[in-house]
PDB file of all heavy atoms in Angstrom:
ATOM      1  N   LYS A  40      70.225 115.420  39.773  1.00 97.00           N
ATOM      2  CA  LYS A  40      69.183 114.800  40.602  1.00 97.00           C
ATOM      3  C   LYS A  40      69.684 114.632  42.042  1.00 97.00           C
ATOM      4  O   LYS A  40      68.932 114.814  43.000  1.00 97.00           O
ATOM      5  CB  LYS A  40      68.781 113.449  40.004  1.00 97.00           C
ATOM      6  CG  LYS A  40      67.966 113.622  38.711  1.00 97.00           C
ATOM      7  CD  LYS A  40      67.406 112.323  38.243  1.00 97.00           C
ATOM      8  CE  LYS A  40      66.693 112.366  36.913  1.00 97.00           C
ATOM      9  NZ  LYS A  40      66.315 113.600  36.335  1.00 97.00           N
ATOM     10  N   ILE A  41      70.960 114.270  42.174  1.00 97.00           N
ATOM     11  CA  ILE A  41      71.510 114.094  43.527  1.00 97.00           C
ATOM     12  C   ILE A  41      71.506 115.442  44.258  1.00 97.00           C
ATOM     13  O   ILE A  41      71.112 115.522  45.435  1.00 97.00           O
ATOM     14  CB  ILE A  41      72.937 113.490  43.453  1.00 97.00           C
ATOM     15  CG1 ILE A  41      72.836 112.032  42.996  1.00 97.00           C
ATOM     16  CG2 ILE A  41      73.647 113.586  44.800  1.00 97.00           C
ATOM     17  CD1 ILE A  41      74.152 111.405  42.591  1.00 97.00           C
ATOM     18  N   SER A  42      71.883 116.511  43.568  1.00 97.00           N
ATOM     19  CA  SER A  42      71.889 117.839  44.209  1.00 97.00           C
ATOM     20  C   SER A  42      70.478 118.243  44.621  1.00 97.00           C
ATOM     21  O   SER A  42      70.261 118.754  45.721  1.00 97.00           O
ATOM     22  CB  SER A  42      72.452 118.901  43.249  1.00 97.00           C
ATOM     23  OG  SER A  42      73.769 118.575  42.938  1.00 97.00           O
ATOM     24  N   LEU A  43      69.517 117.991  43.741  1.00 96.00           N
ATOM     25  CA  LEU A  43      68.121 118.337  44.049  1.00 96.00           C
ATOM     26  C   LEU A  43      67.620 117.533  45.258  1.00 96.00           C
ATOM     27  O   LEU A  43      67.000 118.087  46.170  1.00 96.00           O
ATOM     28  CB  LEU A  43      67.224 118.039  42.848  1.00 96.00           C
ATOM     29  CG  LEU A  43      67.281 118.996  41.668  1.00 96.00           C
ATOM     30  CD1 LEU A  43      66.452 118.455  40.509  1.00 96.00           C
ATOM     31  CD2 LEU A  43      66.754 120.371  42.082  1.00 96.00           C
ATOM     32  N   ALA A  44      67.901 116.229  45.228  1.00 96.00           N
ATOM     33  CA  ALA A  44      67.434 115.363  46.321  1.00 96.00           C
ATOM     34  C   ALA A  44      68.058 115.809  47.642  1.00 96.00           C
ATOM     35  O   ALA A  44      67.364 115.937  48.659  1.00 96.00           O
ATOM     36  CB  ALA A  44      67.786 113.915  46.010  1.00 96.00           C
ATOM     37  N   GLU A  45      69.362 116.073  47.632  1.00 95.00           N
ATOM     38  CA  GLU A  45      70.075 116.481  48.845  1.00 95.00           C
ATOM     39  C   GLU A  45      69.471 117.765  49.416  1.00 95.00           C
ATOM     40  O   GLU A  45      69.188 117.854  50.618  1.00 95.00           O
ATOM     41  CB  GLU A  45      71.547 116.714  48.478  1.00 95.00           C
ATOM     42  CG  GLU A  45      72.488 116.452  49.619  1.00 95.00           C
ATOM     43  CD  GLU A  45      73.930 116.288  49.125  1.00 95.00           C
ATOM     44  OE1 GLU A  45      74.236 116.665  47.971  1.00 95.00           O
ATOM     45  OE2 GLU A  45      74.741 115.797  49.918  1.00 95.00           O
ATOM     46  N   ALA A  46      69.245 118.745  48.529  1.00 95.00           N
ATOM     47  CA  ALA A  46      68.694 120.033  48.978  1.00 95.00           C
ATOM     48  C   ALA A  46      67.290 119.846  49.557  1.00 95.00           C
ATOM     49  O   ALA A  46      66.936 120.462  50.570  1.00 95.00           O
ATOM     50  CB  ALA A  46      68.662 121.023  47.811  1.00 95.00           C
ATOM     51  N   SER A  47      66.502 118.959  48.940  1.00 94.00           N
ATOM     52  CA  SER A  47      65.136 118.768  49.450  1.00 94.00           C
ATOM     53  C   SER A  47      65.154 118.026  50.789  1.00 94.00           C
ATOM     54  O   SER A  47      64.411 118.362  51.694  1.00 94.00           O
ATOM     55  CB  SER A  47      64.275 118.027  48.430  1.00 94.00           C
ATOM     56  OG  SER A  47      64.647 116.682  48.369  1.00 94.00           O
ATOM     57  N   PHE A  48      66.036 117.033  50.931  1.00 93.00           N
ATOM     58  CA  PHE A  48      66.111 116.290  52.198  1.00 93.00           C
ATOM     59  C   PHE A  48      66.543 117.219  53.334  1.00 93.00           C
ATOM     60  O   PHE A  48      66.180 117.041  54.484  1.00 93.00           O
ATOM     61  CB  PHE A  48      67.089 115.110  52.109  1.00 93.00           C
ATOM     62  CG  PHE A  48      66.672 114.036  51.114  1.00 93.00           C
ATOM     63  CD1 PHE A  48      67.633 113.254  50.468  1.00 93.00           C
ATOM     64  CD2 PHE A  48      65.341 113.794  50.835  1.00 93.00           C
ATOM     65  CE1 PHE A  48      67.270 112.264  49.566  1.00 93.00           C
ATOM     66  CE2 PHE A  48      64.961 112.810  49.929  1.00 93.00           C
ATOM     67  CZ  PHE A  48      65.926 112.053  49.293  1.00 93.00           C
ATOM     68  N   GLU A  49      67.387 118.216  52.987  1.00 92.00           N
ATOM     69  CA  GLU A  49      67.873 119.161  54.021  1.00 92.00           C
ATOM     70  C   GLU A  49      66.906 120.321  54.241  1.00 92.00           C
ATOM     71  O   GLU A  49      67.206 121.266  54.973  1.00 92.00           O
ATOM     72  CB  GLU A  49      69.257 119.691  53.625  1.00 92.00           C
ATOM     73  CG  GLU A  49      70.341 118.636  53.801  1.00 92.00           C
ATOM     74  CD  GLU A  49      71.663 119.019  53.143  1.00 92.00           C
ATOM     75  OE1 GLU A  49      71.747 120.149  52.604  1.00 92.00           O
ATOM     76  OE2 GLU A  49      72.588 118.197  53.174  1.00 92.00           O
ATOM     77  N   GLY A  50      65.776 120.289  53.547  1.00 91.00           N
ATOM     78  CA  GLY A  50      64.751 121.324  53.737  1.00 91.00           C
ATOM     79  C   GLY A  50      65.059 122.634  53.034  1.00 91.00           C
ATOM     80  O   GLY A  50      64.443 123.660  53.313  1.00 91.00           O
ATOM     81  N   GLN A  51      66.030 122.612  52.109  1.00 92.00           N
ATOM     82  CA  GLN A  51      66.387 123.860  51.419  1.00 92.00           C
ATOM     83  C   GLN A  51      65.590 124.054  50.137  1.00 92.00           C
ATOM     84  O   GLN A  51      65.736 125.059  49.448  1.00 92.00           O
ATOM     85  CB  GLN A  51      67.892 123.855  51.075  1.00 92.00           C
ATOM     86  CG  GLN A  51      68.782 123.867  52.285  1.00 92.00           C
ATOM     87  CD  GLN A  51      70.193 123.456  51.931  1.00 92.00           C
ATOM     88  OE1 GLN A  51      70.540 123.329  50.773  1.00 92.00           O
ATOM     89  NE2 GLN A  51      71.009 123.237  52.938  1.00 92.00           N
TER      90      GLN A  51
END
Side-chain angles (χ1 to χ4, degrees):
K40 288 188 185 345
I41 290 167
S42 298
L43 285 173
E45 209 163 16
S47 73
F48 296 151
E49 287 168 4
Q51 295 163 9

